[in-house]
Amino acid sequence: MFTPDGLVLGKELQTLVKENAAALGAVQEVTLLGHPEAPNDYLVYLYKVKLENVDLQLELVLSPEQKIASLRFK
């Protein structure tokens, strides 16, 4: 499901979410904001993630093989 780099990032993100889940609150809504162009046949998706206590923007990057190359919250 992940590229080798994405797997490392996924594990780091999982730890971060576990440590901060109470402060963030439950997911209320996820909205696709856009699908910007990306180089080398990668796909980028931008989402707005509305949690109980905060709103975040999520950038999801998929490799040409449809594996997660990057997950980044802004």
Side-chain angles (χ1 to χ4, degrees):
M1 187 164 158
F2 289 90
T3 64
D5 289 339
L7 184 57
V8 171
L9 295 171
K11 288 179 181 179
E12 290 173 358
L13 180 61
Q14 183 180 14
T15 299
L16 182 65
V17 169
K18 282 181 182 179
E19 291 173 354
N20 296 289
L24 297 174
V27 175
Q28 302 294 308
E29 183 178 346
V30 177
T31 305
L32 179 64
L33 297 176
H35 179 57
E37 293 287 325
N40 302 324
D41 295 324
Y42 279 73
L43 299 172
V44 177
Y45 296 93
L46 300 175
Y47 295 93
K48 177 181 177 184
V49 181
K50 181 178 175 67
L51 302 165
E52 283 181 84
N53 301 318
V54 68
D55 290 347
L56 300 172
Q57 186 174 353
L58 170 67
E59 179 186 75
L60 170 66
V61 179
L62 298 178
S63 72
E65 298 80 28
Q66 301 295 302
K67 293 187 177 191
I68 297 171
S70 174
L71 284 169
R72 182 173 27 189
F73 284 99
K74 299 178 181 183

